[in-house]
Amino acid sequence: MMAKILSGKIVSARVKDELKKEVEELSQRGKQTGLAVVLVGDDSASKVYVRNKEKACEEVGIYSEVHRLSANTSEEELLKLINELNENDKIDGILVQLPLPKHLDDKVIIDNIKPEKDVDAFHPSNVGKIMIGDYDFLPCTPAGIMELIHESGVEVDGKTCVVIGRSNIVGKPMSMLLLHENGTVTTCHSHTKNLAEVTKSADILVAAVGIPKFVKADMVKPGAVVIDVGMDRDENGKLCGDVDFNEVEPVAGAITPVPGGVGPMTIAMLMRNTVTASKKKLGK
């Protein structure tokens, strides 16, 4: 019996339909919802992501503006723009597309975004709120993953959960969100011993390691929910994930494809965070 395919395209479309209604309601109350995206440099993947975000804003009815800056933009110039967006009433959410050129410090830039406009949830204030479970925004990729896990029909409560990867963007917040829903969580990384033994204990396995087809069938518990965060290229240059889909699908109970799994959910959750910021500004 093959695994249930958890389609991020289908779930994200449903989320965006719900958000479109909320944006219309806010508009009727005189509140336009606005998102500003800042893109520095010419990273090809970042350009694709930004275009997808623009398209999602159009679908949901969110006003959007993209600030495209040259790769040699100085920190002073970028901080000046962020300060202007912080004070701009038309803008509810600010997203600085990562990675930034190497001469710019991600931390300095993110720390200067107002927490209430930090729709990526990367500001230390928002990260701390996630830790204690009293948050306004959730990081977009982990939040999207939680939606897909719920879609699988599996309750997190009491389940053994394993996250491969400990990045600040995915791995760490992912572990916290699973913990908030009473999962028993293990976070694995490059120093983890007997990794396959650990992953094979998982009822819910999240792979966010950045290595093509890293997770094989012998690392997966039969019937597990397998979430693939990877956006990699295989030996033939074809897009693939961190999970060897063809190997793992017959073993898993549910699995996300790449593409069309976690990616669309990340953008849908960015839209949700922007709408949340808009509602908070209105006092709703």
mmCIF file of all heavy atoms in Angstrom, residues 127-146:
data_model
loop_
_atom_site.group_PDB
_atom_site.id
_atom_site.type_symbol
_atom_site.label_atom_id
_atom_site.label_comp_id
_atom_site.label_asym_id
_atom_site.label_seq_id
_atom_site.Cartn_x
_atom_site.Cartn_y
_atom_site.Cartn_z
ATOM 1 N N VAL A 127 11.237 34.852 18.209
ATOM 2 C CA VAL A 127 11.806 33.533 18.496
ATOM 3 C C VAL A 127 11.567 33.156 19.958
ATOM 4 O O VAL A 127 11.182 32.024 20.273
ATOM 5 C CB VAL A 127 13.322 33.508 18.172
ATOM 6 C CG1 VAL A 127 13.955 32.196 18.646
ATOM 7 C CG2 VAL A 127 13.551 33.682 16.667
ATOM 8 N N GLY A 128 11.776 34.125 20.856
ATOM 9 C CA GLY A 128 11.534 33.874 22.279
ATOM 10 C C GLY A 128 10.076 33.557 22.575
ATOM 11 O O GLY A 128 9.774 32.673 23.388
ATOM 12 N N LYS A 129 9.165 34.246 21.894
ATOM 13 C CA LYS A 129 7.735 33.988 22.088
ATOM 14 C C LYS A 129 7.367 32.575 21.648
ATOM 15 O O LYS A 129 6.526 31.918 22.279
ATOM 16 C CB LYS A 129 6.902 35.019 21.323
ATOM 17 C CG LYS A 129 6.901 36.406 21.954
ATOM 18 C CD LYS A 129 6.036 37.359 21.154
ATOM 19 C CE LYS A 129 5.906 38.694 21.857
ATOM 20 N NZ LYS A 129 5.023 39.624 21.119
ATOM 21 N N ILE A 130 7.990 32.115 20.565
ATOM 22 C CA ILE A 130 7.735 30.748 20.095
ATOM 23 C C ILE A 130 8.216 29.741 21.134
ATOM 24 O O ILE A 130 7.565 28.725 21.401
ATOM 25 C CB ILE A 130 8.409 30.518 18.732
ATOM 26 C CG1 ILE A 130 7.715 31.375 17.660
ATOM 27 C CG2 ILE A 130 8.372 29.043 18.326
ATOM 28 C CD1 ILE A 130 8.549 31.614 16.427
ATOM 29 N N MET A 131 9.360 30.036 21.751
ATOM 30 C CA MET A 131 9.923 29.135 22.756
ATOM 31 C C MET A 131 8.951 28.916 23.916
ATOM 32 O O MET A 131 8.775 27.791 24.387
ATOM 33 C CB MET A 131 11.241 29.718 23.274
ATOM 34 C CG MET A 131 11.921 28.875 24.342
ATOM 35 S SD MET A 131 12.541 27.300 23.732
ATOM 36 C CE MET A 131 13.919 27.839 22.735
ATOM 37 N N ILE A 132 8.286 30.001 24.367
ATOM 38 C CA ILE A 132 7.387 29.867 25.524
ATOM 39 C C ILE A 132 5.943 29.572 25.107
ATOM 40 O O ILE A 132 5.074 29.393 25.963
ATOM 41 C CB ILE A 132 7.436 31.121 26.425
ATOM 42 C CG1 ILE A 132 6.954 32.367 25.676
ATOM 43 C CG2 ILE A 132 8.835 31.312 26.997
ATOM 44 C CD1 ILE A 132 6.847 33.612 26.547
ATOM 45 N N GLY A 133 5.687 29.542 23.785
ATOM 46 C CA GLY A 133 4.353 29.189 23.311
ATOM 47 C C GLY A 133 3.356 30.318 23.344
ATOM 48 O O GLY A 133 2.144 30.092 23.319
ATOM 49 N N ASP A 134 3.847 31.571 23.376
ATOM 50 C CA ASP A 134 2.956 32.736 23.430
ATOM 51 C C ASP A 134 3.340 33.661 22.277
ATOM 52 O O ASP A 134 3.965 34.687 22.458
ATOM 53 C CB ASP A 134 3.112 33.451 24.772
ATOM 54 C CG ASP A 134 2.206 34.665 24.892
ATOM 55 O OD1 ASP A 134 1.201 34.730 24.160
ATOM 56 O OD2 ASP A 134 2.522 35.565 25.705
ATOM 57 N N TYR A 135 2.947 33.257 21.055
ATOM 58 C CA TYR A 135 3.487 33.918 19.870
ATOM 59 C C TYR A 135 2.396 34.592 19.043
ATOM 60 O O TYR A 135 1.218 34.257 19.139
ATOM 61 C CB TYR A 135 4.223 32.907 18.996
ATOM 62 C CG TYR A 135 3.479 31.598 18.809
ATOM 63 C CD1 TYR A 135 2.399 31.491 17.947
ATOM 64 C CD2 TYR A 135 3.857 30.469 19.533
ATOM 65 C CE1 TYR A 135 1.715 30.306 17.790
ATOM 66 C CE2 TYR A 135 3.179 29.271 19.389
ATOM 67 C CZ TYR A 135 2.114 29.196 18.507
ATOM 68 O OH TYR A 135 1.427 28.018 18.365
ATOM 69 N N ASP A 136 2.845 35.575 18.245
ATOM 70 C CA ASP A 136 1.972 36.219 17.263
ATOM 71 C C ASP A 136 2.140 35.563 15.891
ATOM 72 O O ASP A 136 1.178 35.363 15.169
ATOM 73 C CB ASP A 136 2.311 37.710 17.163
ATOM 74 C CG ASP A 136 2.110 38.438 18.478
ATOM 75 O OD1 ASP A 136 1.059 38.238 19.109
ATOM 76 O OD2 ASP A 136 3.020 39.196 18.878
ATOM 77 N N PHE A 137 3.405 35.274 15.546
ATOM 78 C CA PHE A 137 3.721 34.668 14.250
ATOM 79 C C PHE A 137 4.521 33.394 14.462
ATOM 80 O O PHE A 137 5.261 33.262 15.435
ATOM 81 C CB PHE A 137 4.580 35.611 13.392
ATOM 82 C CG PHE A 137 4.073 37.005 13.284
ATOM 83 C CD1 PHE A 137 4.836 38.064 13.748
ATOM 84 C CD2 PHE A 137 2.855 37.273 12.694
ATOM 85 C CE1 PHE A 137 4.380 39.365 13.637
ATOM 86 C CE2 PHE A 137 2.385 38.567 12.582
ATOM 87 C CZ PHE A 137 3.146 39.620 13.063
ATOM 88 N N LEU A 138 4.381 32.476 13.508
ATOM 89 C CA LEU A 138 5.215 31.278 13.473
ATOM 90 C C LEU A 138 6.106 31.337 12.240
ATOM 91 O O LEU A 138 5.674 31.838 11.196
ATOM 92 C CB LEU A 138 4.353 30.019 13.411
ATOM 93 C CG LEU A 138 3.542 29.692 14.667
ATOM 94 C CD1 LEU A 138 2.623 28.504 14.399
ATOM 95 C CD2 LEU A 138 4.463 29.387 15.839
ATOM 96 N N PRO A 139 7.343 30.813 12.323
ATOM 97 C CA PRO A 139 8.170 30.740 11.113
ATOM 98 C C PRO A 139 7.412 29.988 10.024
ATOM 99 O O PRO A 139 6.766 28.970 10.288
ATOM 100 C CB PRO A 139 9.405 29.973 11.581
ATOM 101 C CG PRO A 139 9.435 30.112 13.065
ATOM 102 C CD PRO A 139 8.010 30.211 13.486
ATOM 103 N N CYS A 140 7.512 30.490 8.793
ATOM 104 C CA CYS A 140 6.607 30.047 7.736
ATOM 105 C C CYS A 140 6.743 28.568 7.388
ATOM 106 O O CYS A 140 5.738 27.871 7.222
ATOM 107 C CB CYS A 140 6.815 30.907 6.499
ATOM 108 S SG CYS A 140 6.506 32.662 6.801
ATOM 109 N N THR A 141 7.974 28.076 7.276
ATOM 110 C CA THR A 141 8.134 26.670 6.887
ATOM 111 C C THR A 141 7.656 25.717 7.977
ATOM 112 O O THR A 141 6.853 24.815 7.694
ATOM 113 C CB THR A 141 9.593 26.382 6.475
ATOM 114 O OG1 THR A 141 9.915 27.201 5.332
ATOM 115 C CG2 THR A 141 9.792 24.926 6.116
ATOM 116 N N PRO A 142 8.085 25.868 9.237
ATOM 117 C CA PRO A 142 7.549 24.987 10.282
ATOM 118 C C PRO A 142 6.029 25.073 10.430
ATOM 119 O O PRO A 142 5.366 24.051 10.638
ATOM 120 C CB PRO A 142 8.258 25.468 11.557
ATOM 121 C CG PRO A 142 9.544 26.051 11.068
ATOM 122 C CD PRO A 142 9.184 26.703 9.765
ATOM 123 N N ALA A 143 5.475 26.274 10.307
ATOM 124 C CA ALA A 143 4.018 26.419 10.410
ATOM 125 C C ALA A 143 3.321 25.659 9.279
ATOM 126 O O ALA A 143 2.298 24.985 9.497
ATOM 127 C CB ALA A 143 3.626 27.891 10.363
ATOM 128 N N GLY A 144 3.889 25.751 8.070
ATOM 129 C CA GLY A 144 3.322 25.017 6.938
ATOM 130 C C GLY A 144 3.412 23.520 7.120
ATOM 131 O O GLY A 144 2.500 22.772 6.756
ATOM 132 N N ILE A 145 4.518 23.063 7.721
ATOM 133 C CA ILE A 145 4.684 21.635 7.996
ATOM 134 C C ILE A 145 3.621 21.149 8.979
ATOM 135 O O ILE A 145 3.052 20.056 8.799
ATOM 136 C CB ILE A 145 6.104 21.355 8.536
ATOM 137 C CG1 ILE A 145 7.135 21.561 7.412
ATOM 138 C CG2 ILE A 145 6.210 19.943 9.106
ATOM 139 C CD1 ILE A 145 8.572 21.591 7.881
ATOM 140 N N MET A 146 3.336 21.941 9.988
ATOM 141 C CA MET A 146 2.308 21.541 10.958
ATOM 142 C C MET A 146 0.959 21.385 10.263
ATOM 143 O O MET A 146 0.204 20.448 10.565
ATOM 144 C CB MET A 146 2.213 22.561 12.098
ATOM 145 C CG MET A 146 3.445 22.618 13.000
ATOM 146 S SD MET A 146 3.943 21.035 13.731
ATOM 147 C CE MET A 146 2.557 20.681 14.801
#
